[in-house]
Amino acid sequence: MKQLFYIFLFVSISHLAQAQSVFTIRGTVKDTTQLAVIGAAVKLSTATDSVLTSTNVDGSFSFSNIRASEFTITVNSLGYQSKSKKYSFKAGVRTETLAPIILTSDSRMLNEIVVNGTPDVTVKEDTLQYRADAYKLKENALAEDLLKKLPGLEVDKDGNVTAQGKTITKIRINGKDFFGGDVKTATQQLPADVIKNVQVIDDYGDQANITGVKDGEADKILNFTIKPEANKGFLTRGVIGGGTNERYQASAFTASFNNSQQLALLLNFNNTNANVFSLTGGGGRRGYSGGSGGDGLTNVNSVGFNYRDEWGEKITAYGSYSFNNRDNYTNSSNLQEILTADNTFYNNNFNDVDAKSNGHRLDFNFEYKIDTLNYLKIRPTFNYDNSNSETFTNFDINTQKTTSIGNSKEMVDYTRPNFGADILYNHRFGAKARNLTFDVELNSTSTDQNQNYLYRSDDNSLSGQIETYQKQLIFGDNKNNNVEARVSYQEPLTDTKNLEFSYRYGFARTDNNRRVESTDVEGDAPALDPLQSNQYQFDYITNRFGLNYRVNEKKYNYSVGFSAQPSVLKSNTTATDKKETNFFPSARFSYKFSKTRELSFNYWGRSNQPGYEQLQPITDQSNKNFYVTGNPDLSPEFSNSIRLRYANFDFESQNVLFANISYSDTKNKIVTNTISFPVATDSTILRENRYLNADGYYSLNGFYAFSKPFKEKTYVLRFRGNAIYNNNISFIDYKKNTGKNLILSQRVGVQVNLGEWLEFEPEATYTYSKNDNTLNVRANTEVNSVGFNVRTKVYFLKTWIVGGNLDKTFNSGYGNIGTNPLIINGFLEKQFLKGKKASFKLQAFDILDQSTSLSYLATGNTTTLSQSNRLSRYFMMSFTFNFSRFAGNSTMPDNLGDGGGYRRRH
């Protein structure tokens, strides 16, 4: 009987101890690409109770004080299928870390018929995602080749990428910057066959990614998600080539991937105008970019290193270092028409510029997941630039009162170190979706510049002929220090609604020390010129208070808010400070018709401070004919912007349509006031630019892109159009001039992919530009440009490729600079080794020797037509190799001979 009592007592105590035990559950939520799902609703249910939380920026969640040993986890997130799973604690375990919960896309939201060959393109608020394997590519294709296939994206001949009419500014791999986000490094080095998805993202910054409240204008960036099987392995690619006119290139890229660890090294040496970190460049695999890569002739030497790894379970570190040496020679001619109230000045100048520069760039990122409720990111940066240049100019200036013919020589040497840091901290309060975020950005730039300027001219005026001489030594020391601190608190009202309270403090200080030594007598030593020398400092301080209400539903989300921003601009030369307070609403709305069709609307406001050149209270006389005088009484600008965007992927017809329209106006726009002959006793001083604030500036921009495939993308018809209207404001002798600038552009092209043997891409572009002025109609201009482009590749005899491209442009309205170049490039390539991993290529660039650069620019009361040299005709023979090995797949041959003895390695 006593033994039964002890047994009963032991069981009771054990049961009571177990009932009083508490448990902690931790886990993460990811999608099928292994990326974190942020903001997913996670529900823990027991037999008697339930509790709700949401995932943080890392996709992590946790529950504390759980008293039941058996429970069910249910996860829901917009765009994904709901997932539930039962769990139970192991004996003796008080903290359980669950295996990652993987969510799959909700195909029920697509509402379309999926057929073979249909591209998998999805729209989710600020992200467009393309499934890479839906597009047919040749062996050894690069990411750049893939981007050229994607509707709405364009890659120009210099490798620049645009999406929906906006330039891509950064590229990430698996959500992290690669080589500091350098676009061409990723697109021209990364193999296309390792990419799972390409994401086009409107990026509002790290704080917006956490809070969901997005303010201002977004940067357009790309993110490549890597296939899981390609996250372990290595790749090596290189090019070496030599050609006529002493052209050469030598490039190498190697990268190692070991799950979370990534290492990459990039070397590039060429004189073919290949852009920095561009492996293929002028003599690369495809042979399309030679003779381009910017104006002039450029020698490039560069090296870069990229690193990424996880330091334990809580810290992720990634960053890059790069060094770049450039030597550029440019020969250019410019025709300027400068509007006056009753006349037009003509300024023709011809420039020879030799510029050398060295640049260092270092950026690093530390992401610290302190625990499930706290997150810290620190990003230090350092840049150092050193440059020296020599510019020789011959000019011919003609007005009704005078003509001036002469030349100038300018030598400039400067160094510019830059230090910066961004510190972001986020704290989530318990299970509720309460967030407190702090973000501080610090930046300091110092520019030390020495300028040696020599000027000679023969001037003919109404009072006779004058010979003018000027020599100036200009020493500048400019420092810019900026601090911006932001704090945001989010309070959930319901599961789909929240309030955000925000505050932003901005401080910008510019300190400029300028010393000018000058003489007008040839042979005399320059002496201090106190009228052009000064020490000038100004501060721009803003305080912005904001309140936002946000709703996030399954089909739509919106936010409305209101902000007040008092600002003050003060300097050491004015007795009173410039104070202003701007009040403005903010709004965002996005409606999701389906997973592939969305409409969005944005409104935002922002202020812009004047530059120190516009504020400094001196007259810059370094150009003897054209003076510049600052205005310390300028007020900051304030702009209001609206954008409406529509995206539609019709899966049944496979048609793709992007369209957006935007409007912006600016209050207190900083504009130029051009004074004709500002010195009555000296008619050789033709004009003086001064600055003042004015209202009336606005801009309207419309864009669309449409593509329609036929026969499972054997033929893809593409249209792209753009319309821009700018209502520019300027003043001439204190009289207001409105410059109405209209630009219309239309492009149509077709991609032809016939079987495995032919790629053919013809394209036609028409651009119309018109500039009307209210003050002087004689300065009105009208420019037309029609361009035709054909790119082609023919694959034959299994390992041979012949191809090239043809560009023909017809221009009118460019006056004396009119040119209509015909650019023809071609190549013949022989591939060999297993998997065609090596090749010899003979390339011909600009066969007709007609390459040139032509541009037209209308700003304020000045129009400029410019023409400059570019790399012209040359021939090159190059060798390319490309070896890689990833998990379960190898392209490393056992024998580098003529084709025998290969076997697959695993």
Side-chain angles (χ1 to χ4, degrees):
M1 188 71 180
K2 184 182 292 185
Q3 290 177 337
L4 291 175
F5 173 77
Y6 285 129
I7 292 173
F8 175 77
L9 180 62
F10 175 78
V11 170
S12 300
I13 293 174
S14 300
H15 180 75
L16 180 61
Q18 182 174 356
Q20 292 179 344
S21 297
V22 293
F23 305 90
T24 299
I25 299 103
R26 297 173 179 169
T28 57
V29 180
K30 299 182 178 181
D31 63 16
T32 54
T33 67
Q34 297 300 306
L35 293 180
V37 178
I38 302 172
V42 184
K43 182 179 180 181
L44 184 148
S45 303
T46 66
T48 60
D49 200 2
S50 65
V51 62
L52 183 69
T53 188
S54 60
T55 57
N56 63 10
V57 69
D58 306 309
S60 302
F61 66 90
S62 68
F63 296 95
S64 303
N65 299 321
I66 304 302
R67 299 183 179 277
S69 59
E70 295 184 351
F71 57 92
T72 299
I73 295 290
T74 303
V75 182
N76 290 283
S77 184
L78 179 64
Y80 299 96
Q81 296 180 13
S82 177
K83 190 164 187 177
S84 295
K85 188 174 180 179
K86 293 184 178 180
Y87 299 86
S88 60
F89 277 101
K90 300 176 183 177
V93 175
R94 291 295 175 262
T95 300
E96 184 76 18
T97 301
L98 308 179
I101 300 172
I102 307 300
L103 299 185
T104 57
S105 297
D106 188 358
S107 59
R108 293 171 298 176
M109 295 179 63
L110 296 180
N111 297 324
E112 85 286 340
I113 301 173
V114 179
V115 297
N116 186 36
T118 300
D120 185 3
V121 186
T122 56
V123 186
K124 187 176 181 181
E125 196 170 348
D126 296 314
T127 301
L128 301 173
Q129 179 170 287
Y130 302 83
R131 183 169 57 88
D133 58 10
Y135 300 89
K136 294 181 181 179
L137 297 169
K138 294 293 183 179
E139 290 179 291
N140 306 316
L142 299 177
E144 184 178 78
D145 301 307
L146 171 61
L147 297 182
K148 292 178 179 179
K149 299 283 187 179
L150 304 182
L153 271 72
E154 292 189 356
V155 182
D156 68 16
K157 61 184 178 181
D158 294 332
N160 302 304
V161 184
T162 58
Q164 303 158 46
K166 290 190 65 176
T167 300
I168 295 295
T169 59
K170 181 180 289 189
I171 284 191
R172 293 171 177 161
I173 294 181
N174 285 343
K176 308 297 183 185
D177 290 351
F178 185 69
F179 277 98
D182 186 82
V183 175
K184 296 176 188 177
T185 300
T187 61
Q188 297 179 352
Q189 310 310 323
L190 196 66
D193 58 6
V194 305
I195 299 175
K196 181 179 178 65
N197 295 304
V198 176
Q199 296 173 332
V200 181
I201 302 171
D202 286 339
D203 182 48
Y204 292 85
D206 291 333
Q207 186 176 25
N209 294 334
I210 293 175
T211 64
V213 178
K214 300 162 186 177
D215 183 32
E217 186 171 7
D219 291 327
K220 190 75 72 174
I221 70 172
L222 289 182
N223 180 50
F224 295 148
T225 64
I226 305 301
K227 296 176 180 177
E229 62 270 21
N231 276 316
K232 194 174 184 64
F234 75 92
L235 63 93
T236 299
R237 177 181 295 107
V239 176
I240 186 169
T244 59
N245 302 332
E246 300 182 341
R247 298 297 161 205
Y248 67 87
Q249 70 164 2
S251 307
F253 174 75
T254 183
S256 171
F257 301 86
N258 186 10
N259 296 322
S260 62
Q261 185 186 76
Q262 297 177 7
L263 302 173
L265 177 67
L266 178 60
L267 305 172
N268 183 16
F269 310 95
N270 73 83
N271 65 353
T272 60
N273 281 29
N275 292 289
V276 178
F277 299 129
S278 173
L279 178 64
T280 55
R285 284 197 322 108
R286 294 173 298 281
Y288 289 142
S289 58
S292 60
D295 293 344
L297 307 177
T298 306
N299 296 349
V300 175
N301 303 293
S302 58
V303 59
F305 176 74
N306 189 78
Y307 170 84
R308 175 181 175 181
D309 201 1
E310 292 184 358
W311 298 352
E313 296 182 356
K314 294 186 176 183
I315 298 178
T316 299
Y318 56 97
S320 65
Y321 165 77
S322 62
F323 167 77
N324 180 45
N325 167 262
R326 291 172 60 91
D327 187 348
N328 174 267
Y329 170 74
T330 302
N331 176 268
S332 64
S333 59
N334 302 283
L335 171 60
Q336 280 190 329
E337 295 185 1
I338 305 165
L339 178 68
T340 68
D342 55 3
N343 189 21
T344 302
F345 291 178
Y346 297 94
N347 177 19
N348 298 325
N349 59 73
F350 307 90
N351 307 295
D352 288 309
V353 182
D354 188 6
K356 299 178 176 63
S357 65
N358 295 295
H360 301 264
R361 183 185 69 186
L362 175 66
D363 69 272
F364 215 80
N365 297 265
F366 300 91
E367 296 186 10
Y368 180 27
K369 307 170 187 175
I370 302 171
D371 52 39
T372 57
L373 300 178
N374 297 279
Y375 169 81
L376 177 67
K377 180 179 180 180
I378 302 175
R379 181 176 181 264
T381 62
F382 171 72
N383 297 281
Y384 182 85
D385 296 311
N386 171 257
S387 174
N388 60 81
S389 64
E390 292 187 6
T391 302
F392 298 89
T393 301
N394 292 300
F395 56 84
D396 181 354
I397 304 171
N398 192 348
T399 75
Q400 284 185 345
K401 295 183 179 181
T402 185
T403 61
S404 181
I405 300 175
N407 60 76
S408 65
K409 177 182 177 180
E410 182 182 36
M411 293 181 290
V412 179
D413 180 31
Y414 78 82
T415 58
R416 181 184 292 127
N418 171 271
F419 301 88
D422 187 355
I423 304 171
L424 173 70
Y425 171 74
N426 176 253
H427 174 73
R428 184 168 57 86
F429 294 88
K432 294 290 186 180
R434 295 187 178 95
N435 276 287
L436 180 64
T437 305
F438 296 94
D439 189 8
V440 178
E441 290 186 42
L442 311 171
N443 189 274
S444 178
T445 302
S446 177
T447 302
D448 187 4
Q449 178 172 302
N450 298 323
Q451 181 179 355
N452 188 329
Y453 183 77
L454 182 64
Y455 174 96
R456 288 187 176 92
S457 70
D458 292 323
D459 306 309
N460 292 291
S461 65
L462 299 177
S463 58
Q465 184 172 344
I466 303 173
E467 291 186 3
T468 303
Y469 172 87
Q470 183 186 59
K471 180 177 177 63
Q472 286 191 334
L473 301 178
I474 304 173
F475 307 94
D477 182 12
N478 179 261
K479 294 181 174 63
N480 292 278
N481 296 293
N482 299 276
V483 177
E484 185 171 80
R486 299 181 293 269
V487 59
S488 169
Y489 173 75
Q490 282 186 297
E491 175 65 26
L493 303 178
T494 68
D495 291 342
T496 61
K497 300 178 178 64
N498 64 60
L499 276 177
E500 188 227 17
F501 304 89
S502 65
Y503 168 72
R504 178 180 299 179
Y505 170 79
F507 174 83
R509 167 167 290 178
T510 296
D511 194 346
N512 182 55
N513 186 355
R514 172 186 166 97
R515 175 183 174 89
V516 178
E517 298 175 2
S518 179
T519 180
D520 293 335
V521 180
E522 189 168 2
D524 286 2
L528 176 66
D529 186 343
L531 295 179
Q532 295 194 71
S533 304
N534 78 317
Q535 288 184 319
Y536 181 66
Q537 177 183 295
F538 75 90
D539 298 334
Y540 182 56
I541 304 169
T542 60
N543 291 273
R544 181 166 173 173
F545 305 86
L547 175 65
N548 289 281
Y549 173 71
R550 190 166 189 261
V551 176
N552 190 4
E553 299 288 354
K554 186 174 183 180
K555 297 287 290 185
Y556 64 90
N557 66 78
Y558 67 88
S559 65
V560 292
F562 184 81
S563 296
Q565 179 177 289
S567 64
V568 57
L569 179 64
K570 54 185 179 181
S571 73
N572 62 350
T573 62
T574 56
T576 59
D577 299 338
K578 286 282 187 179
K579 297 182 179 180
E580 280 196 3
T581 300
N582 290 292
F583 301 94
F584 54 94
S586 60
R588 286 174 52 87
F589 174 79
S590 176
Y591 185 81
K592 198 175 190 65
F593 300 93
S594 69
K595 197 172 184 179
T596 61
R597 183 179 171 215
E598 188 173 78
L599 178 70
S600 64
F601 168 84
N602 283 8
Y603 165 77
W604 67 94
R606 60 185 173 88
S607 61
N608 299 308
Q609 70 186 67
Y612 79 89
E613 301 93 344
Q614 299 167 326
L615 286 168
Q616 61 180 351
I618 64 169
T619 298
D620 182 354
Q621 302 176 20
S622 57
N623 187 319
K624 187 63 176 176
N625 299 116
F626 303 107
Y627 287 1
V628 178
T629 300
N631 178 6
D633 294 324
L634 286 176
S635 297
E637 300 177 342
F638 191 85
S639 299
N640 297 279
S641 300
I642 298 172
R643 184 186 65 193
L644 181 66
R645 184 176 63 185
Y646 176 76
N648 183 29
F649 296 83
D650 189 326
F651 272 49
E652 186 171 357
S653 66
Q654 301 183 44
N655 295 342
V656 180
L657 173 65
F658 294 107
N660 64 63
I661 186 170
S662 60
Y663 170 83
S664 177
D665 64 55
T666 302
K667 174 187 175 184
N668 283 333
K669 179 76 173 176
I670 299 172
V671 301
T672 58
N673 178 25
T674 301
I675 308 301
S676 306
F677 303 103
V679 181
T681 59
D682 190 348
S683 60
T684 65
I685 304 172
L686 304 180
R687 70 170 186 179
E688 179 181 340
N689 275 352
R690 302 173 185 174
Y691 299 97
L692 50 82
N693 293 108
D695 295 333
Y697 170 84
Y698 63 89
S699 176
L700 186 64
N701 190 327
F703 169 85
Y704 86 96
F706 174 78
S707 70
K708 182 176 181 61
F710 299 90
K711 294 186 177 180
E712 296 187 355
K713 295 194 288 292
T714 300
Y715 309 94
V716 180
L717 185 63
R718 290 186 168 186
F719 296 89
R720 179 183 182 273
N722 197 39
I724 302 173
Y725 179 81
N726 294 312
N727 199 73
N728 296 309
I729 303 298
S730 62
F731 285 79
I732 302 170
D733 296 325
Y734 292 97
K735 298 177 182 178
K736 185 176 180 179
N737 175 64
T738 301
K740 301 176 180 179
N741 179 227
L742 174 66
I743 302 174
L744 302 174
S745 178
Q746 177 62 59
R747 181 180 304 173
V748 59
V750 61
Q751 289 183 347
V752 180
N753 301 281
L754 291 178
E756 299 294 325
W757 68 275
L758 176 64
E759 295 179 6
F760 181 63
E761 298 180 29
E763 186 178 78
T765 304
Y766 172 71
T767 302
Y768 171 80
S769 180
K770 185 178 182 181
N771 193 58
D772 290 337
N773 296 275
T774 59
L775 202 58
N776 188 344
V777 297
R778 290 180 298 174
N780 295 348
T781 57
E782 194 170 10
V783 174
N784 291 271
S785 179
V786 179
F788 299 96
N789 176 273
V790 177
R791 292 180 175 86
T792 185
K793 285 184 183 180
V794 178
Y795 301 81
F796 64 101
L797 298 179
K798 294 185 178 180
T799 58
W800 288 85
I801 308 173
V802 63
N805 68 296
L806 180 151
D807 287 277
K808 175 61 179 176
T809 305
F810 299 93
N811 298 302
S812 65
Y814 283 93
N816 297 329
I817 299 186
T819 183
N820 303 301
L822 174 61
I823 310 299
I824 300 177
N825 302 326
F827 72 91
L828 176 65
E829 180 177 0
K830 166 61 179 175
Q831 299 173 322
F832 59 97
L833 295 185
K834 183 180 180 181
K836 304 175 182 178
K837 294 301 178 180
S839 68
F840 284 106
K841 179 182 288 187
L842 176 63
Q843 298 167 280
F845 297 96
D846 189 20
I847 295 173
L848 301 183
D849 200 20
Q850 295 187 15
S851 180
T852 188
S853 173
L854 187 66
S855 65
Y856 170 81
L857 179 65
T859 57
N861 65 328
T862 303
T863 60
T864 304
L865 301 176
S866 301
Q867 185 176 15
S868 61
N869 66 319
R870 281 200 165 196
L871 187 63
S872 56
R873 179 171 55 201
Y874 70 97
F875 301 86
M876 176 169 283
M877 174 67 76
S878 62
F879 170 71
T880 302
F881 62 90
N882 174 17
F883 302 136
S884 62
R885 177 186 293 166
F886 293 98
N889 179 37
S890 172
T891 62
M892 283 289 294
D894 295 323
N895 185 349
L896 297 182
D898 55 3
Y902 300 129
R903 66 177 182 270
R904 181 176 297 277
R905 293 179 178 178
H906 299 279

